[in-house]
Amino acid sequence: MTATDTSIITVLPGDNVTDIIRSKTSKNLKLGTGLRSQDDTILATSAGRLTQRSTTWFVLQNNKRYIPADEDRVVGIVQDRAGSDNGGDVYRVHVGGSHPAMLNNLNFEGATKRNRPSLKPGDVVYARITSTALDPILSCKLGPRDVGIVSRKDWMTQEGLYGPLKGGTLEKIPVGLARELLSPHNVVLAELSKLPFEICVGVNGYLWIHSEHPAYTILVSNAIVNSQVLTEEQTRGMVQSLIKTVQQQLSTDNE
């Protein structure tokens, strides 16, 4: 599917998708996750939604279990303090994988032994995975993919890319939906951008939403969940309808 295609094509392992793909992409074709080429045939190797990004095709899967990978950007929940290392406190952080990730509070921009964040169980953090050799290791410092794109901000400014997420609502969504939300041309987030809210999407399937109006938080959450079974055209209509309804309710409440 392209950004303007409104069809939803669900595939199963073994499905022949050659005609579908070649009818839409004739040059520079690339196959991604969930697809393989066998002779002149393109077959699906996993179940999910057949998806197109430019000339790359892949199967978008709604896996429930997150498998950590290096440089993934994740939203995690602090579980407890595990100990200390190199003068910093080490915390266990739940990221949805089979093992908790480890985060040293010296791994924040500008953190020192005297000036570092203090975390407590239940705190929510946005971080990147720097290693998956044993238990995943997290960092709230900019990584190689961030340099030159995002400016460095001291953790105390609360303006950095990574760090604790204050307030808001945390929800669990399918991993496949999270990856779809992170697409640069995601339709539901583009439509929701008309509202005043903050959002943080972890590739691990955790979604953090913050808004001054609880009604907007609920709207955003419902719109995102509903979008996974709708076409792009249906998604636009659904979001516009939700926004109209909620704004009418808020206007009535303020009278």
Side-chain angles (χ1 to χ4, degrees), residues 34-91:
L35 296 173
R36 68 181 175 88
S37 177
Q38 181 176 307
D39 298 325
D40 292 328
T41 303
I42 302 173
L43 301 174
T45 59
S46 58
R49 183 186 298 183
L50 186 62
T51 306
Q52 180 186 5
R53 296 281 184 263
S54 184
T55 59
T56 299
W57 287 79
F58 60 95
V59 176
L60 188 65
Q61 306 168 56
N62 267 351
N63 296 329
K64 293 184 178 179
R65 170 68 71 177
Y66 167 64
I67 301 175
D70 289 355
E71 295 306 321
D72 273 358
R73 294 174 175 176
V74 298
V75 174
I77 307 168
V78 176
Q79 293 180 319
D80 56 23
R81 180 179 177 277
S84 60
D85 183 41
N86 295 326
D89 294 322
V90 179
Y91 296 88

Side-chain angles (χ1 to χ4, degrees), residues 106-121:
L106 290 179
N107 284 331
F108 286 73
E109 296 290 354
T112 66
K113 292 181 180 180
R114 291 188 176 184
N115 181 23
R116 62 196 185 198
S118 178
L119 304 175
K120 63 181 184 299

Side-chain angles (χ1 to χ4, degrees), residues 72-76 103 125-129 138-140 161-163:
D72 273 358
R73 294 174 175 176
V74 298
V75 174
L103 173 63
V125 295
Y126 183 51
R128 65 182 182 87
I129 294 180
L138 299 177
S139 175
C140 287
L161 175 61
Y162 304 108

Side-chain angles (χ1 to χ4, degrees), residues 210-235:
H210 180 266
S211 174
E212 294 183 1
H213 294 287
Y216 285 154
T217 298
I218 296 172
L219 186 161
V220 171
S221 173
N222 288 340
I224 287 173
V225 172
N226 292 342
S227 71
Q228 62 186 320
V229 294
L230 300 177
T231 65
E232 293 184 354
E233 183 178 348
Q234 291 171 335
T235 296

Side-chain angles (χ1 to χ4, degrees), residues 142-156:
L142 295 184
R145 297 180 183 176
D146 307 316
V147 176
I149 301 176
V150 182
S151 59
R152 294 185 184 277
K153 298 284 187 178
D154 192 284
W155 72 271
M156 293 188 67

